[in-house]
Amino acid sequence: MRIGILGTGIVGQTLGTKLVSIGNDVKLGSRSATNEKAAGWVKATRRGASQGSFADAAAFGEVLFNCTSGKVSLDALRQAGAKNLDGKVLVDVANPLDFSKGMPPTLTVCNDDSLGERIQREFPKARVVKSLNTMSASVMVDPKVVPGDHAIFVCGNDAAAKSQVADILKKSDGRR
Amino acid sequence: MRIGILGTGIVGQTLGTKLVSIGNDVKLGSRSATNEKAAGWVKATRRGASQGSFADAAAFGEVLFNCTSGKVSLDALRQAGAKNLDGKVLVDVANPLDFSKGMPPTLTVCNDDSLGERIQREFPKARVVKSLNTMSASVMVDPKVVPGDHAIFVCGNDAAAKSQVADILKKSDGRR
């Protein structure tokens, strides 16, 4: 499958490496089509890995992952372009964290709204599924580092989209 | 053990009945020492069950449960009296829900503060433990109505208090 990942940080790179390792082609998207972190990741990952702008990654992917910082996610998705999101499953991994007042961070949106809902409202034709955002990147790609059974939230209002994301998660977990 | 429960609603009554059934003496506290709902519960529960004011219940209990509506919890605890809370484990089951704008409710406090933290700040000598507030009363007292394994949050900054609450929860669950 072709997967577009928005964001070149530790989350985007870690998910990208895992998704390539299980047979997907992954394009890492950034504000700049020649982002150095993405270039380093492509060089390290090789086969199946590529980079581009947010729009390039969104156009490339059949399924998209938003791994940008929550504060800039809406802006990144605007650069990706609504037409490149239409009808596609968009896994929103971002958290709207505000570190400006130090640790622990606060949320820039909460209670009666959420980043996932804001993304869905602005891009109504994207099929937004919230998942993976409650754990660190190392756990996202290798849940067995945490002992015991696991449960993961997969949230959205599109049952088929959630089912597709659950399939990707199961496959990434080596359970099928 | 003597347990004081603040609040005579479905949560307070359901927990009270369960705690009596496993051998505790429970006093249900309310704004009025002769609250009709509490009187009905005492009559139905009989042995081990009693009622009183918030202050009566707080003075009676070796361990306390806050089962009041989150909007009025601080006021109820003020009526219970700080001296009746000092040094005691206070299991905070309340949620600060605001139903004034209809369903679903919103939270009156969230993000960088919480009801449990507000209670702890106002009553620094109480040993506040947040638990049970993420499920309905029927699940609180009989978790096996939900199939599969269970995890429950037990939150606070006093390890001994959390351990005591965990013991009560295990005993209520019939696991020891």
Side-chain angles (χ1 to χ4, degrees), chain A:
Chain A
M1 186 188 289
R2 293 191 314 278
I3 294 178
I5 294 181
L6 310 185
T8 60
I10 186 71
V11 173
Q13 289 194 30
T14 305
L15 283 178
T17 300
K18 178 74 179 198
L19 290 164
V20 165
S21 78
I22 58 173
N24 300 290
D25 292 317
V26 174
K27 190 181 288 290
L28 225 57
S30 159
R31 211 162 290 271
S32 151
T34 57
N35 178 286
E36 282 185 19
K37 284 191 292 182
W41 175 82
V42 169
K43 196 171 173 185
T45 310
R46 296 175 182 259
R47 187 181 165 85
S50 61
Q51 77 174 111
S53 66
F54 286 134
D56 292 335
F60 175 82
E62 301 164 86
V63 168
L64 307 177
F65 283 73
N66 172 33
C67 300
T68 60
S69 165
K71 273 173 85 170
V72 301
S73 288
L74 279 168
D75 190 45
L77 288 161
R78 285 175 202 132
Q79 290 183 42
K83 72 175 191 306
N84 291 324
L85 309 178
D86 282 3
K88 292 182 182 173
V89 171
L90 171 61
V91 186
D92 178 26
V93 185
N95 285 314
L97 300 179
D98 178 2
F99 291 94
S100 66
K101 284 168 270 176
M103 293 293 285
T106 55
L107 296 166
T108 60
V109 51
C110 66
N111 202 354
D112 60 351
D113 201 4
S114 67
L115 179 60
E117 290 167 281
R118 286 187 174 184
I119 291 172
Q120 184 68 85
R121 280 202 303 274
E122 181 153 345
F123 302 98
K125 292 182 183 169
R127 302 165 70 198
V128 176
V129 175
K130 193 91 190 181
S131 196
L132 291 168
N133 62 305
T134 56
M135 66 202 72
S136 69
S138 57
V139 177
M140 292 180 195
V141 298
D142 190 14
K144 72 176 182 296
V145 297
V146 179
D149 277 342
H150 300 83
I152 183 168
F153 294 113
V154 178
C155 311
N157 61 2
D158 181 327
K162 286 191 287 189
S163 175
Q164 190 173 352
V165 174
D167 282 346
I168 293 170
L169 295 173
K170 283 177 203 158
K171 195 169 181 184
S172 303
D173 192 22
R175 295 195 184 176
R176 75 172 202 187

Side-chain angles (χ1 to χ4, degrees), chain A residues 106-108 110-112 149, chain B residues 101 106-108 110-112 149:
Chain A
T106 55
L107 296 166
T108 60
C110 66
N111 202 354
D112 60 351
D149 277 342
Chain B
K101 285 168 266 174
T106 55
L107 296 166
T108 60
C110 66
N111 202 354
D112 59 353
D149 278 341

Side-chain angles (χ1 to χ4, degrees), chain B residues 98-119:
Chain B
D98 177 1
F99 291 94
S100 66
K101 285 168 266 174
M103 293 294 288
T106 55
L107 296 166
T108 60
V109 52
C110 66
N111 202 354
D112 59 353
D113 201 4
S114 66
L115 179 61
E117 289 168 282
R118 287 186 173 183
I119 291 172

Side-chain angles (χ1 to χ4, degrees), chain B residues 10-68:
Chain B
I10 186 73
V11 174
Q13 290 194 28
T14 304
L15 284 179
T17 300
K18 178 76 178 196
L19 290 165
V20 165
S21 78
I22 59 174
N24 300 289
D25 291 317
V26 174
K27 192 181 287 290
L28 226 56
S30 158
R31 212 163 288 272
S32 152
T34 56
N35 177 285
E36 282 185 18
K37 282 192 290 183
W41 175 80
V42 170
K43 195 172 174 185
T45 310
R46 297 176 182 259
R47 187 182 164 85
S50 61
Q51 76 175 110
S53 66
F54 285 134
D56 293 335
F60 174 83
E62 301 164 84
V63 167
L64 307 178
F65 283 74
N66 172 35
C67 301
T68 60

